[in-house]
Amino acid sequence: MIIKAEIINQPYSGQYKEKIYDIASSWNSQNWTWIKFEEEDFHEWCGEFRGSPRAVALSNKHNKILVLTSDYLFQVDCYSGEVTAYESQPPYQCLTVTPSGDFIIADYYDIEKIESTLNDKILLKSPIKMDTVTFHGWSNNKLLITCDEFLNLGNRVKLEMDGDTFEITVKGLN
């Protein structure tokens, strides 16, 4: 079972056993993302995914890994290492996993929680209309987020999302 996944630079030939994850499409870019996987026995291997790298997140709760590239959002099973679902040409820019194991994804304007499948997403309510959403990591159980206020690009706003309630608040306001 895969217990760790991280984006790496292209490895040297033969450095890792490699597996290519590609979807046949005339819309594919020429770019690739390399993900180093680590299994329970500390065996490391590398997956090569179509598209430029954006993010990777592993959920022990769901036993899934999501790999976000410019071309696809791949869902990989932690037990088999196989792609079980994917989305083509995803609009998403950010991906993370909560401390409790739920996937959170964002395009430029919205933040969503992924439920049981990639097609099953819940739009999270924000206190402002957002533009250029960016995730900045977790502090305890709070996801730090920045965005511009929609149609007010000079107004940069700091937000927090609670990892249990999924409530998004303006940072510093209660």
Side-chain angles (χ1 to χ4, degrees), residues 6-21:
E6 65 178 315
I7 296 173
I8 62 169
N9 291 325
Q10 181 177 2
Y12 292 111
S13 179
Q15 184 176 2
Y16 300 106
K17 177 184 164 199
E18 292 184 37
K19 181 172 183 170
I20 297 174
Y21 295 89

mmCIF file of all heavy atoms in Angstrom, residues 6-21:
data_model
loop_
_atom_site.group_PDB
_atom_site.id
_atom_site.type_symbol
_atom_site.label_atom_id
_atom_site.label_comp_id
_atom_site.label_asym_id
_atom_site.label_seq_id
_atom_site.Cartn_x
_atom_site.Cartn_y
_atom_site.Cartn_z
ATOM 1 N N GLU A 6 4.950 12.284 -3.464
ATOM 2 C CA GLU A 6 5.460 13.646 -3.582
ATOM 3 C C GLU A 6 5.919 13.930 -5.012
ATOM 4 O O GLU A 6 6.404 13.033 -5.709
ATOM 5 C CB GLU A 6 6.608 13.904 -2.601
ATOM 6 C CG GLU A 6 7.853 13.086 -2.878
ATOM 7 C CD GLU A 6 8.995 13.394 -1.907
ATOM 8 O OE1 GLU A 6 9.265 14.580 -1.641
ATOM 9 O OE2 GLU A 6 9.620 12.429 -1.442
ATOM 10 N N ILE A 7 5.753 15.186 -5.424
ATOM 11 C CA ILE A 7 6.211 15.614 -6.737
ATOM 12 C C ILE A 7 7.735 15.730 -6.696
ATOM 13 O O ILE A 7 8.290 16.288 -5.749
ATOM 14 C CB ILE A 7 5.594 16.971 -7.126
ATOM 15 C CG1 ILE A 7 4.071 16.848 -7.261
ATOM 16 C CG2 ILE A 7 6.210 17.505 -8.412
ATOM 17 C CD1 ILE A 7 3.346 18.171 -7.470
ATOM 18 N N ILE A 8 8.383 15.185 -7.723
ATOM 19 C CA ILE A 8 9.843 15.288 -7.838
ATOM 20 C C ILE A 8 10.196 15.753 -9.244
ATOM 21 O O ILE A 8 9.347 15.773 -10.140
ATOM 22 C CB ILE A 8 10.540 13.942 -7.528
ATOM 23 C CG1 ILE A 8 10.119 12.859 -8.532
ATOM 24 C CG2 ILE A 8 10.268 13.497 -6.098
ATOM 25 C CD1 ILE A 8 10.949 11.580 -8.464
ATOM 26 N N ASN A 9 11.456 16.115 -9.435
ATOM 27 C CA ASN A 9 11.958 16.401 -10.775
ATOM 28 C C ASN A 9 12.140 15.084 -11.508
ATOM 29 O O ASN A 9 12.202 14.018 -10.885
ATOM 30 C CB ASN A 9 13.294 17.142 -10.697
ATOM 31 C CG ASN A 9 13.134 18.545 -10.165
ATOM 32 O OD1 ASN A 9 12.129 19.222 -10.423
ATOM 33 N ND2 ASN A 9 14.114 18.998 -9.396
ATOM 34 N N GLN A 10 12.267 15.150 -12.818
ATOM 35 C CA GLN A 10 12.453 13.934 -13.607
ATOM 36 C C GLN A 10 13.648 13.154 -13.062
ATOM 37 O O GLN A 10 14.744 13.700 -12.957
ATOM 38 C CB GLN A 10 12.674 14.282 -15.075
ATOM 39 C CG GLN A 10 12.859 13.067 -15.946
ATOM 40 C CD GLN A 10 13.010 13.423 -17.417
ATOM 41 O OE1 GLN A 10 13.020 14.583 -17.796
ATOM 42 N NE2 GLN A 10 13.122 12.411 -18.245
ATOM 43 N N PRO A 11 13.438 11.890 -12.684
ATOM 44 C CA PRO A 11 14.550 11.105 -12.128
ATOM 45 C C PRO A 11 15.512 10.644 -13.228
ATOM 46 O O PRO A 11 15.167 10.637 -14.417
ATOM 47 C CB PRO A 11 13.842 9.909 -11.488
ATOM 48 C CG PRO A 11 12.590 9.751 -12.274
ATOM 49 C CD PRO A 11 12.187 11.144 -12.708
ATOM 50 N N TYR A 12 16.703 10.274 -12.799
ATOM 51 C CA TYR A 12 17.653 9.678 -13.728
ATOM 52 C C TYR A 12 17.101 8.350 -14.211
ATOM 53 O O TYR A 12 16.421 7.637 -13.462
ATOM 54 C CB TYR A 12 19.008 9.436 -13.057
ATOM 55 C CG TYR A 12 19.735 10.704 -12.697
ATOM 56 C CD1 TYR A 12 19.903 11.067 -11.367
ATOM 57 C CD2 TYR A 12 20.254 11.536 -13.682
ATOM 58 C CE1 TYR A 12 20.561 12.235 -11.022
ATOM 59 C CE2 TYR A 12 20.907 12.710 -13.354
ATOM 60 C CZ TYR A 12 21.060 13.051 -12.023
ATOM 61 O OH TYR A 12 21.710 14.207 -11.695
ATOM 62 N N SER A 13 17.403 8.002 -15.443
ATOM 63 C CA SER A 13 16.954 6.738 -16.002
ATOM 64 C C SER A 13 17.447 5.585 -15.130
ATOM 65 O O SER A 13 18.627 5.509 -14.798
ATOM 66 C CB SER A 13 17.500 6.587 -17.427
ATOM 67 O OG SER A 13 17.099 5.365 -17.967
ATOM 68 N N GLY A 14 16.535 4.722 -14.714
ATOM 69 C CA GLY A 14 16.875 3.562 -13.897
ATOM 70 C C GLY A 14 16.947 3.831 -12.408
ATOM 71 O O GLY A 14 17.150 2.910 -11.625
ATOM 72 N N GLN A 15 16.793 5.107 -11.993
ATOM 73 C CA GLN A 15 16.843 5.428 -10.559
ATOM 74 C C GLN A 15 15.699 4.761 -9.800
ATOM 75 O O GLN A 15 15.875 4.306 -8.677
ATOM 76 C CB GLN A 15 16.797 6.948 -10.371
ATOM 77 C CG GLN A 15 16.933 7.399 -8.943
ATOM 78 C CD GLN A 15 16.968 8.931 -8.822
ATOM 79 O OE1 GLN A 15 16.860 9.661 -9.802
ATOM 80 N NE2 GLN A 15 17.113 9.402 -7.601
ATOM 81 N N TYR A 16 14.515 4.727 -10.413
ATOM 82 C CA TYR A 16 13.337 4.097 -9.817
ATOM 83 C C TYR A 16 12.669 3.221 -10.859
ATOM 84 O O TYR A 16 12.782 3.467 -12.061
ATOM 85 C CB TYR A 16 12.290 5.147 -9.394
ATOM 86 C CG TYR A 16 12.760 6.142 -8.381
ATOM 87 C CD1 TYR A 16 13.044 7.451 -8.754
ATOM 88 C CD2 TYR A 16 12.897 5.797 -7.041
ATOM 89 C CE1 TYR A 16 13.464 8.389 -7.822
ATOM 90 C CE2 TYR A 16 13.312 6.722 -6.102
ATOM 91 C CZ TYR A 16 13.606 8.014 -6.499
ATOM 92 O OH TYR A 16 14.015 8.931 -5.571
ATOM 93 N N LYS A 17 11.932 2.228 -10.390
ATOM 94 C CA LYS A 17 11.017 1.535 -11.274
ATOM 95 C C LYS A 17 9.953 2.574 -11.626
ATOM 96 O O LYS A 17 9.465 3.300 -10.752
ATOM 97 C CB LYS A 17 10.385 0.339 -10.555
ATOM 98 C CG LYS A 17 9.375 -0.393 -11.383
ATOM 99 C CD LYS A 17 8.705 -1.501 -10.580
ATOM 100 C CE LYS A 17 7.457 -1.934 -11.315
ATOM 101 N NZ LYS A 17 6.542 -2.651 -10.441
ATOM 102 N N GLU A 18 9.600 2.696 -12.918
ATOM 103 C CA GLU A 18 8.667 3.737 -13.343
ATOM 104 C C GLU A 18 7.422 3.145 -13.971
ATOM 105 O O GLU A 18 7.462 2.084 -14.604
ATOM 106 C CB GLU A 18 9.335 4.674 -14.359
ATOM 107 C CG GLU A 18 10.440 5.516 -13.767
ATOM 108 C CD GLU A 18 11.026 6.518 -14.749
ATOM 109 O OE1 GLU A 18 10.264 7.083 -15.563
ATOM 110 O OE2 GLU A 18 12.247 6.726 -14.697
ATOM 111 N N LYS A 19 6.321 3.852 -13.769
ATOM 112 C CA LYS A 19 5.048 3.476 -14.378
ATOM 113 C C LYS A 19 4.485 4.722 -15.047
ATOM 114 O O LYS A 19 4.429 5.788 -14.420
ATOM 115 C CB LYS A 19 4.085 2.957 -13.313
ATOM 116 C CG LYS A 19 2.753 2.535 -13.882
ATOM 117 C CD LYS A 19 1.914 1.846 -12.837
ATOM 118 C CE LYS A 19 0.632 1.386 -13.493
ATOM 119 N NZ LYS A 19 -0.131 0.518 -12.633
ATOM 120 N N ILE A 20 4.083 4.599 -16.300
ATOM 121 C CA ILE A 20 3.544 5.734 -17.050
ATOM 122 C C ILE A 20 2.028 5.745 -16.939
ATOM 123 O O ILE A 20 1.362 4.736 -17.193
ATOM 124 C CB ILE A 20 3.981 5.674 -18.525
ATOM 125 C CG1 ILE A 20 5.504 5.792 -18.605
ATOM 126 C CG2 ILE A 20 3.294 6.759 -19.338
ATOM 127 C CD1 ILE A 20 6.072 5.598 -19.998
ATOM 128 N N TYR A 21 1.498 6.907 -16.534
ATOM 129 C CA TYR A 21 0.053 7.127 -16.435
ATOM 130 C C TYR A 21 -0.308 8.120 -17.535
ATOM 131 O O TYR A 21 -0.026 9.315 -17.409
ATOM 132 C CB TYR A 21 -0.321 7.704 -15.070
ATOM 133 C CG TYR A 21 -0.061 6.766 -13.922
ATOM 134 C CD1 TYR A 21 1.172 6.746 -13.284
ATOM 135 C CD2 TYR A 21 -1.061 5.913 -13.469
ATOM 136 C CE1 TYR A 21 1.399 5.888 -12.218
ATOM 137 C CE2 TYR A 21 -0.835 5.053 -12.400
ATOM 138 C CZ TYR A 21 0.398 5.055 -11.783
ATOM 139 O OH TYR A 21 0.629 4.205 -10.727
#
